Amino acid sequence: MNTYFVILVSSLLMNNFVMNKFLGICPFLGVSKRFETATGMGMAVTFVMTLASFVTWLVNEFLLIPFKLQYMQTIAYILVIAVLVQIVEMALKKVSPSLYQALGVYLPLITTNCAVLGVAILNTDSGYNLPESTFNGFCAALGFTMSLLLFAAIREKLALAKMPKWMDGFPGALITAGLMAVAFQGFGGLI
């Protein structure tokens, strides 16, 4: 149980993929203007990252290692992630067309989101077993979603604030993201 607590706290705060590893920045900056789209992207990434962690562990253990194909790891993982993203895309198109439209091009970009691939590779490199790997994927996705939602909330507030002209819009968002990253660095020695 101690291992799972360390994975949870580490993924949310100290090893947050967006704030500490700087992975997944494209959707982080792209869909964070509105809280609703950030929520939808967070849910989609959580589904994909959790399931990708589960499936990539199985692919690695039962295909790549037995057939000595570990050098194909990145390609196999990207293929798994692409399939999962297509499933999410089809489901969102059917269930919530408005969210599908709001996410736009950023939904298919989950396939190339380096945070999703990063967690799959990190699970393999860390030697996690199947439950730990799946839990780490879920917690990393929660950390991504938490960062995305915090940033979206701040950006919505900034849109209503009177800002200097040079800081209005995207420059203010980048400064805010930088300050958030600095704040997350403060969790460095927690565990």
Side-chain angles (χ1 to χ4, degrees):
M1 194 52 123
N2 189 28
T3 304
Y4 292 102
F5 178 73
V6 170
I7 289 172
L8 174 68
V9 173
S10 174
S11 296
L12 289 176
L13 302 174
M14 285 117 35
N15 294 320
N16 186 294
F17 274 86
V18 177
M19 295 295 147
N20 293 75
K21 296 185 185 292
F22 307 112
L23 297 173
I25 299 295
C26 180
F28 175 73
L29 292 172
V31 298
S32 60
K33 283 185 178 179
R34 292 184 42 231
F35 195 80
E36 294 80 26
T37 56
T39 303
M41 177 58 84
M43 290 188 318
V45 168
T46 300
F47 176 79
V48 170
M49 205 179 273
T50 304
L51 213 52
S53 295
F54 179 80
V55 174
T56 56
W57 189 91
L58 293 174
V59 165
N60 191 53
E61 288 296 315
F62 296 113
L63 284 176
L64 300 180
I65 292 174
F67 294 108
K68 300 190 183 342
L69 296 172
Q70 291 94 328
Y71 64 91
M72 297 289 290
Q73 180 185 64
T74 304
I75 294 170
Y77 289 4
I78 289 173
L79 181 64
V80 166
I81 293 165
V83 168
L84 293 173
V85 169
Q86 287 301 310
I87 292 169
V88 168
E89 195 171 359
M90 289 185 299
L92 272 181
K93 196 173 194 178
K94 194 78 155 168
V95 173
S96 180
S98 60
L99 180 59
Y100 175 78
Q101 289 288 25
L103 292 175
V105 70
Y106 294 102
L107 188 58
L109 283 178
I110 295 174
T111 303
T112 58
N113 185 341
C114 50
V116 179
L117 179 60
V119 76
I121 291 173
L122 180 72
N123 289 336
T124 302
D125 291 348
S126 298
Y128 288 148
N129 59 30
L130 182 60
E132 290 170 345
S133 180
T134 305
F135 188 69
N136 185 49
F138 177 71
C139 292
L142 286 181
F144 177 87
T145 303
M146 178 184 70
S147 300
L148 189 63
L149 294 177
L150 285 171
F151 190 54
I154 293 169
R155 282 186 78 178
E156 281 188 353
K157 293 286 186 191
L158 286 177
L160 300 173
K162 185 163 174 54
M163 303 283 284
K165 186 159 180 73
W166 65 271
M167 220 174 118
D168 198 24
F170 201 64
L174 288 176
I175 291 169
T176 303
L179 291 173
M180 284 179 65
V182 169
F184 271 80
Q185 292 297 319
F187 294 114
L190 194 60
I191 291 182

